[in-house]
Amino acid sequence: MTSSGGSTPDAAAMLERMTAFAFPGGRIEARGVLLRQRGQMWRERGGAAMPFEATQYLDATRPQFRWSARFHLAKVVPLSVIDAYEGGRGRLDVRVAGLRVARAEGPETDEGELLRYLSELPWCPFAMSHPAIEWASVEGEPGRLRATLRDGRIGASVVFTVGGDGAVSRVEAAMRPRQVGKRFEPTPWWGEFGGYSDLGGMRVPTRASVFWGLAGGPFEYFRCEVTSAEAAGGEGR
């Protein structure tokens, strides 16, 4: 992780409020967070929901995560997905009965997965204070805080909406690469958080929904509930 972070005075105060909210019993230290989730995904607007169960490890010491999911499309044919940013590279790997049927990698995937890591800081509050993350308030927009992270040649930036209590309710990116067939289209993207609960010494959101801003209106393609969260001392898997 390339160290170039910092924060403006207003941003520092807002970040302190976020951190205090995330650690209601006082700050604890860990190398990362291990989450368990269940939820649904949609391939297209109006399509059938695809239920899943997943585990996710978010690293607090470097920009790295792995989301491992199993979908319940058929009782006898398991479908598994790994969505990850590891070693400065993003990847999406889809397998049916253990055989790979789809894979995404390359510069656009790298950018999109680093952006996902940054946007999920409310699930890994230990990483909020990492010196490589730059924090800045958004001029003229109270309660809005921009986080920027560069990992070598790759960069990402998102804006968090932060309540007076320090809870993050929304995160958004002006554009995120969206795969359409074999090409990528920069597309507005955002996520919404809610249902904060005290888990594993942290206060984290237990509900999340994620959207693409398409020409026909918002498309919610991901929704999940966090069923457990714990501070992890090692790799978490």
Side-chain angles (χ1 to χ4, degrees):
M1 187 184 285
T2 303
S3 180
S4 59
S7 61
T8 61
D10 289 348
M14 202 179 308
L15 179 60
E16 183 177 351
R17 193 162 69 244
M18 289 168 61
T19 302
F21 177 82
F23 297 106
R27 185 179 176 90
I28 60 176
E29 298 297 334
R31 293 183 57 83
V33 172
L34 181 64
L35 304 173
R36 290 180 175 81
Q37 306 168 339
R38 61 188 175 203
Q40 302 86 36
M41 290 190 71
W42 292 265
R43 290 195 180 100
E44 59 188 6
R45 196 193 313 273
M50 301 182 295
F52 68 82
E53 294 180 352
T55 60
Q56 180 171 357
Y57 178 71
L58 290 145
D59 199 308
T61 67
R62 52 188 169 174
Q64 187 157 289
F65 79 90
R66 179 181 291 195
W67 186 77
S68 302
R70 181 174 292 270
F71 286 78
H72 308 297
L73 302 183
K75 293 182 179 179
V76 295
V77 182
L79 184 148
S80 62
V81 174
I82 292 178
D83 198 38
Y85 184 86
E86 298 171 318
R89 296 289 186 271
R91 69 183 176 100
L92 174 67
D93 190 275
V94 182
R95 295 174 183 263
V96 174
L99 299 176
R100 180 182 293 154
V101 296
R103 182 178 178 88
E105 57 186 353
E108 293 88 355
T109 303
D110 297 343
E111 179 185 345
E113 300 295 20
L114 182 62
L115 190 149
R116 173 175 174 171
Y117 171 83
L118 188 60
S119 71
E120 294 182 353
L121 288 178
W123 278 332
C124 189
F126 305 101
M128 289 179 179
S129 59
H130 197 286
I133 301 175
E134 296 181 357
W135 295 93
S137 54
V138 180
E139 187 175 356
E141 298 184 36
R144 302 260 287 166
L145 187 60
R146 184 182 304 279
T148 302
L149 172 62
R150 177 157 292 277
D151 184 32
R153 61 184 176 79
I154 311 164
S157 181
V158 299
V159 174
F160 293 102
T161 299
V162 185
D165 59 356
V168 174
S169 59
R170 180 182 171 102
V171 60
E172 60 193 82
M175 294 292 170
R176 181 181 178 182
R178 179 174 64 95
Q179 189 165 7
V180 181
K182 294 185 178 181
R183 70 183 191 279
F184 286 86
E185 294 183 357
T187 305
W189 177 93
W190 68 93
E192 297 174 355
F193 294 111
Y196 277 85
S197 184
D198 295 350
L199 299 171
M202 308 166 286
R203 183 177 290 152
V204 296
T206 62
R207 298 193 307 269
S209 295
V210 187
F211 302 81
W212 291 110
L214 304 184
F219 167 42
E220 181 186 16
Y221 69 92
F222 177 94
R223 183 188 303 166
C224 83
E225 174 190 359
V226 172
T227 58
S228 72
E230 59 186 86
E235 290 300 307
R237 58 180 187 276

